[in-house]
Amino acid sequence: MGSDTQTSLLHLDDDDAAAVVNGVVNYKAQPAMRSKSGTWRSAWFVIGVEVGERFAHYGILSNLITYLTGPLRLSTATAAESINVWAGTAMLLPLVGAFIADSYVGRYRTILLASLVYIMGLGLLAVSAMVPSECQATSESESCSPNLQVMLFFISLYMVAIGQGGQKPCIQAFGADQFDEHHPKECRDRSSFFNWCYFGMCTGILLSLLTLNYVKDNISWALGFAIPCLVMTIGLLVFLLGTKTYRFNNIKGNDKKSPFFRIGRVFAAAIRNRRISLSDITFHDHEETCTIIPHPCSKQSNFLHKALLTPQGSKEEACSLNEVEEAEAVLRLIPIWAICLIFGVVFAQVPTFFTKQGASMDRTIFPGFDLPAASFQSLVYLTIVIVSPIYDRIFVPAVRSITKKPSGITMLQRIGTGLLFTMMTTVIAALVEMKRLKIAREYGVVDDPNATVPMSVWWLIPQYLLFGIAEVFTAVGLQEFFYDQVPLVLKSMGPALYYSIFGLGSFLSSFLISMIEDITGKDGQNSWFANNINQAHLDYFYWLLAVLSIMELVLFIFLAKSYVYN
């Protein structure tokens, strides 16, 4: 895929050259024709593998806390921490996957290799569920020492994380690559792609939650893990079917340096020249030595201007203006990325403590049938599936007519709106948990960890729906924002930064849980996360998240006002 596009263009006539998309090639490494490649004809294949991946991922994650505290007999706090560490690892590994894709392998090949590892991990996960558990003979114990089943389970779980680390940063970036940002219609379609890609992802998640949780709770855990393996395999085949229609980025042919090396070199040069004033800096243009004035496009980080040139008398090659601007673009993203980590912390509670809440409540649909607690996560994604088309087809055109912006509102305005809904989610969750604990006390079931609190699980609906709306705004907004704002040579890093928010958010959640568990569980007292949820205080934890979410929103508004778009 690395053939020189300019050489091939010499063999095209004027009409053909006008129809060629600059900077990309087709699967034969020839100039990609606009009429035969890319756009929605390619994007739907990419969305197809994304649907399969999300189905598989949530087929594992959604009911994982039930599997860990049930068949594997881990404590509630240990199970929640284990899930957060695994989820965090899976969401941070895309940074490694993006580095490999952008520097060496390319997005297409990275998706293929990572998908194969993903599928092997899923298959091994199903096998681990069929291994006899040594914990069966110690049913009265709260936890169990590691055995073959536990070790095999976690090995396969982290194989899945490695596969996801290679696949996730590349799928959305590769899908967005199918649209030419310099073509008016394709530029608008690219913005819609992120909405419809997230719609497809959530459709896969919704199908997974509505089917696999029932299979795992009522039929077999092994079958519940095997089905995601099959679906992921089908998703990979769908992706391969679109190969002949794809556009492949040809930027690497223009610059042999790793983009990470180029950006790292800028920061290293700026640090090395930190004591040099701008008036002392010169640059070499052919044989002349000149004094440089800071570039007017780079007002936010004058420090990096020192990487543009070298001290007088130095023979070391200076960084180019393009390299400095790439580094500045990355630097501007860091504050936005950091403040959104609280959103990642709240996100980590949906498959853990939200599910644990529901498991203790009345889930009876009709006599003899109780809805699995993990299935209520489907409300988040049902909300997304409903709201996403409304946002794309009604909200954006209506607001566009007022603001005259192609996307209706800016990316940062979209993210901030979602953060407001996130804050509302934590407040509602805290109030509902307070009511649940009050009813548990009134009916005298506080000391019975297996008791069903006579409170309908439908009380949890508002917090699930609000967080679904928050995802439509914040999650999709972050995807588009990072893809759009990273330098052209680092497009895989955009989705990786997005996923790292959830990864580091999961680690922060695990850290908070561990710290609070140690502080509130001293001297034999029940901690906020006691194994008996009726003696725990999840409401305190939710109030803490509400305070953090308010602080996040205020700081985000401040940062968004001063942010300068590329």
Side-chain angles (χ1 to χ4, degrees):
M1 309 301 176
S3 176
D4 190 344
T5 305
Q6 292 181 349
T7 301
S8 300
L9 282 173
L10 295 176
H11 303 287
L12 299 174
D13 58 32
D14 292 340
D15 292 336
D16 289 336
V20 167
V21 183
N22 292 329
V24 296
V25 294
N26 62 16
Y27 74 105
K28 293 182 178 180
Q30 296 175 348
M33 310 301 291
R34 192 179 303 278
S35 61
K36 297 180 180 180
S37 68
T39 67
W40 290 108
R41 72 170 64 85
S42 301
W44 290 119
F45 290 107
V46 180
I47 291 175
V49 72
E50 185 77 323
V51 171
E53 191 280 328
R54 289 291 85 183
F55 181 96
H57 178 77
Y58 275 81
I60 300 170
L61 177 63
S62 63
N63 216 13
L64 192 54
I65 193 166
T66 303
Y67 186 71
L68 293 178
T69 57
L72 297 191
R73 292 197 169 278
L74 300 180
S75 68
T76 299
T78 301
E81 289 174 22
S82 298
I83 293 170
N84 286 331
V85 169
W86 171 71
T89 301
M91 293 296 188
L92 286 176
L93 281 175
L95 293 171
V96 179
F99 172 77
I100 294 172
D102 284 339
S103 299
Y104 304 106
V105 182
R107 287 188 266 279
Y108 178 80
R109 292 187 181 92
T110 303
I111 292 172
L112 292 185
L113 295 173
S115 296
L116 292 175
V117 175
Y118 206 137
I119 291 169
M120 288 190 290
L122 291 170
L124 190 58
L125 198 64
V127 172
S128 73
M130 294 185 283
V131 175
S133 173
E134 297 172 10
C135 293
Q136 292 175 355
T138 60
S139 59
E140 295 181 359
S141 65
E142 292 186 352
S143 61
C144 188
S145 59
N147 54 49
L148 177 61
Q149 184 188 33
V150 175
M151 289 188 290
L152 189 60
F153 175 81
F154 279 103
I155 288 172
S156 57
L157 201 62
Y158 279 89
M159 282 184 66
V160 170
I162 292 171
Q164 182 176 322
Q167 192 189 62
K168 293 308 294 177
C170 299
I171 290 179
Q172 291 175 9
F174 187 71
D177 286 346
Q178 307 309 309
F179 300 91
D180 182 7
E181 65 179 344
H182 301 294
H183 187 274
K185 183 180 184 304
E186 290 192 24
C187 183
R188 290 194 300 269
D189 287 344
R190 192 184 74 175
S191 182
S192 289
F193 166 77
F194 286 98
N195 290 323
W196 288 105
C197 185
Y198 207 73
F199 174 86
M201 289 167 55
C202 294
T203 300
I205 295 170
L206 187 59
L207 292 173
S208 178
L209 294 173
L210 293 176
T211 57
L212 292 183
N213 289 324
Y214 179 82
V215 170
K216 287 182 283 190
D217 281 359
N218 298 279
I219 301 177
S220 166
W221 283 97
L223 180 62
F225 291 139
I227 293 175
C229 181
L230 176 62
V231 172
M232 186 65 200
T233 303
I234 295 173
L236 177 58
L237 293 176
V238 169
F239 178 75
L240 290 172
L241 288 175
T243 299
K244 291 185 178 181
T245 73
Y246 294 147
R247 295 173 182 173
F248 298 88
N249 200 301
N250 196 43
I251 294 175
K252 288 202 297 184
N254 300 329
D255 195 332
K256 299 300 182 181
K257 295 179 184 177
S258 163
F260 293 89
F261 171 81
R262 291 171 58 185
I263 291 175
R265 181 169 168 267
V266 171
F267 286 100
I271 293 172
R272 184 178 60 249
N273 297 335
R274 63 187 181 277
R275 296 179 180 176
I276 303 174
S277 66
L278 293 176
S279 60
D280 294 332
I281 297 179
T282 60
F283 75 96
H284 299 281
D285 184 8
H286 300 292
E287 296 181 354
E288 298 181 5
T289 300
C290 312
T291 302
I292 188 165
I293 300 175
H295 193 267
C297 297
S298 308
K299 297 179 180 179
Q300 289 188 324
S301 46
N302 287 331
F303 174 73
L304 293 181
H305 294 151
K306 296 184 178 183
L308 283 170
L309 307 170
T310 56
Q312 293 184 8
S314 175
K315 296 182 179 180
E316 186 171 347
E317 182 183 356
C319 298
S320 70
L321 181 60
N322 283 339
E323 290 174 336
V324 172
E325 289 181 339
E326 288 169 358
E328 289 178 338
V330 173
L331 190 62
R332 285 198 300 271
L333 296 175
I334 293 176
I336 300 294
W337 173 86
I339 199 61
C340 289
L341 291 175
I342 301 302
F343 177 76
V345 173
V346 178
F347 183 89
Q349 312 317 314
V350 177
T352 53
F353 291 131
F354 279 24
T355 300
K356 201 67 179 175
Q357 273 182 290
S360 69
M361 301 169 75
D362 183 8
R363 295 175 282 113
T364 302
I365 304 301
F366 52 81
F369 179 77
D370 288 352
L371 198 64
S375 295
F376 280 85
Q377 295 173 48
S378 62
L379 293 174
V380 173
Y381 302 101
L382 180 61
T383 303
I384 295 171
V385 167
I386 293 172
V387 174
S388 291
I390 295 174
Y391 179 90
D392 190 71
R393 297 302 181 185
I394 299 176
F395 177 80
V396 171
V399 178
R400 182 189 296 151
S401 63
I402 300 173
T403 63
K404 307 303 179 184
K405 297 180 183 295
S407 58
I409 57 177
T410 67
M411 291 175 282
L412 289 176
Q413 287 171 340
R414 180 172 186 172
I415 295 168
T417 303
L419 295 182
L420 175 62
F421 280 102
T422 303
M423 181 268 292
M424 295 167 60
T425 300
T426 57
V427 172
I428 295 297
L431 293 173
V432 171
E433 178 62 9
M434 288 176 64
K435 182 174 181 63
R436 192 193 67 80
L437 291 174
K438 179 181 178 182
I439 292 176
R441 290 192 294 269
E442 290 176 352
Y443 282 83
V445 296
V446 172
D447 297 325
D448 185 357
N450 298 316
T452 298
V453 176
M455 176 181 176
S456 175
V457 74
W458 302 117
W459 277 89
L460 297 179
I461 288 179
Q463 66 198 61
Y464 281 113
L465 297 186
L466 282 172
F467 196 73
I469 297 173
E471 283 203 51
V472 170
F473 283 89
T474 295
V476 182
L478 285 169
Q479 288 179 4
E480 184 178 2
F481 175 75
F482 285 120
Y483 177 84
D484 185 77
Q485 294 296 295
V486 295
L488 190 61
V489 293
L490 286 176
K491 288 303 181 183
S492 297
M493 185 55 65
L497 287 171
Y498 160 75
Y499 285 110
S500 68
I501 287 175
F502 300 99
L504 195 53
S506 292
F507 280 116
L508 289 174
S509 175
S510 181
F511 171 75
L512 278 175
I513 292 170
S514 179
M515 183 178 65
I516 294 171
E517 174 84 0
D518 291 340
I519 294 174
T520 61
K522 288 182 178 179
D523 303 324
Q525 297 180 353
N526 288 320
S527 74
W528 288 8
F529 312 110
N531 287 337
N532 181 352
I533 193 174
N534 296 326
Q535 295 178 346
H537 272 292
L538 290 183
D539 53 336
Y540 294 170
F541 184 57
Y542 290 150
W543 282 121
L544 174 62
L545 294 181
V547 172
L548 293 175
S549 296
I550 293 172
M551 294 170 59
E552 174 189 39
L553 181 59
V554 172
L555 288 173
F556 180 84
I557 293 173
F558 174 78
L559 291 172
K561 286 183 176 180
S562 60
Y563 183 83
V564 178
Y565 286 92
N566 285 343

